[in-house]
Amino acid sequence: LQGLEPDEIRALLGLTREFAEQGPRPVLTGRTVATLFFEDSTRTRTSFMLAASRLGATVVDLSGAGTSMSKGETPTDTAQVIEAMGVDAIVVRDKHAGVPSLLHRAVQCSVLNAGDGKHEHPTQGLLDLYTLGESLGLLDSFDYSGLNIVIVGDLASSRVARSTTAGLSALGAHVTLVGPPTLAPRKLSVLGCDVSTDLDAALEDADAVMMLRIQFERGAGRQLAGVADYRVGYALDPERAARLKPGAVVLHPGPINRGVELDTPVADGGRSVVLRQVRNGVFVRMAALSACMATLPA
Ligand code: CP
């Protein structure tokens, strides 16, 4: 989402709303979409597959295991092989930043980024924006001026934080990224947001708070004194959630580390829109696929 104009983001959110309110249309009949996930996923992979098939496309699902990648074939070669079979779009996730751009330069078909390393997760950013608009009554304008959005946790590892912050800033929101200095480096302010270590201060005026997973698999645990210590300053437990202002909502991109960054009574409580995010992810991916593939010959 970094570099997209506000009008481009609003157009994608408007298309998302059409699919959410009017249901899918068979705009991709006769097209083929390949999902190429070199890193694990539940939400993104499944929702791209459901979105493509509900729009009428044929879906081919590949993952790192079970493909010739295990024999040393590169992502670029794999993408070119799939394209040679007549695929119209490739949805790719990789642990390395920049792989979607690499594939985009190697093939003629559409390439959609389903998350690349610590760089971007644009459809997650869009579904976060859409869910906020839905929760806060802004679906007619997608103008987020005056909103205070707080994003908390393992920001250093988070491609979601980068995409969602870029999108929120483009739509006019004020974003504060909060975490301990090891997980919330000051340099993230280049995204056009504030960076803070004080969660309780940031939450006072928050219209929404998005909790991020501590990415232990990317080594974030080594940046902490310990989970118990982290929770004192940065967990959204029931006591902190009770101090949120009326109407404020709680988001999490998932998967949640319950009892680490977010407690079960909050994750499953009345302020939580976590499952709305998941539901909206299918509509956002319908919008992204149809927007990208509409430029191809029918
Ligand atoms: N939010 C997200 O990307 O979840 P998955 O890893 O399950 O796709």
Side-chain angles (χ1 to χ4, degrees), residues 30-81:
R31 305 291 177 80
T32 304
V33 175
T35 49
L36 200 54
F37 278 64
F38 301 122
E39 191 186 75
D40 290 344
S41 166
T42 296
R43 293 152 198 75
T44 314
R45 181 175 165 196
T46 310
S47 61
F48 262 117
M49 291 171 68
L50 287 172
S53 71
R54 287 176 187 168
L55 296 181
T58 300
V59 181
V60 184
D61 183 38
L62 298 100
S63 61
T67 72
S68 288
M69 294 274 293
S70 65
K71 303 173 198 165
E73 191 158 61
T74 65
T76 304
D77 281 340
T78 303
Q80 289 177 335
V81 166

Side-chain angles (χ1 to χ4, degrees), residues 12 20-21 25 30 36 77 95 101 153 189 210 214 219 228 233 240:
L12 285 165
E21 295 182 353
R25 302 181 299 279
L36 200 54
D77 281 340
K95 65 182 177 186
S101 292
S189 61
M210 183 159 83
I214 303 295
R240 273 205 177 98

Side-chain angles (χ1 to χ4, degrees), residues 10 18 44 110 112-113 124 138 153 162 173 181 184 199 228 255 265 278-279 297:
R10 289 193 175 102
E18 281 181 36
T44 314
S110 299
L112 291 96
N113 182 355
Q124 177 71 44
L138 297 169
R162 284 166 177 77
L199 177 58
V278 175
R279 181 175 184 273

Side-chain angles (χ1 to χ4, degrees), residues 2 10 16 19 41-42 49-50 65 83 90 93 137 145 166 171 177 180 185 196 203-204 229 254 256 264 273 280 285:
Q2 295 172 61
R10 289 193 175 102
T16 300
F19 284 122
S41 166
T42 296
M49 291 171 68
L50 287 172
E83 184 180 40
I90 295 171
R93 169 175 288 190
S145 308
L171 300 190
L177 305 181
S196 169
L203 289 185
E204 276 177 20
D229 184 68
I256 299 170
T264 287
V273 293
N280 290 332
R285 282 146 190 149

Side-chain angles (χ1 to χ4, degrees), residues 118-156:
K118 299 179 183 178
H119 176 223
E120 279 245 24
H121 192 348
T123 54
Q124 177 71 44
L126 287 169
L127 76 87
D128 294 338
L129 296 179
Y130 187 83
T131 304
L132 280 168
E134 181 184 60
S135 306
L136 303 175
L138 297 169
L139 289 184
D140 287 334
S141 67
F142 294 115
D143 178 358
Y144 294 177
S145 308
L147 290 185
N148 287 308
I149 312 296
V150 177
I151 304 179
V152 188
D154 184 4
L155 295 142

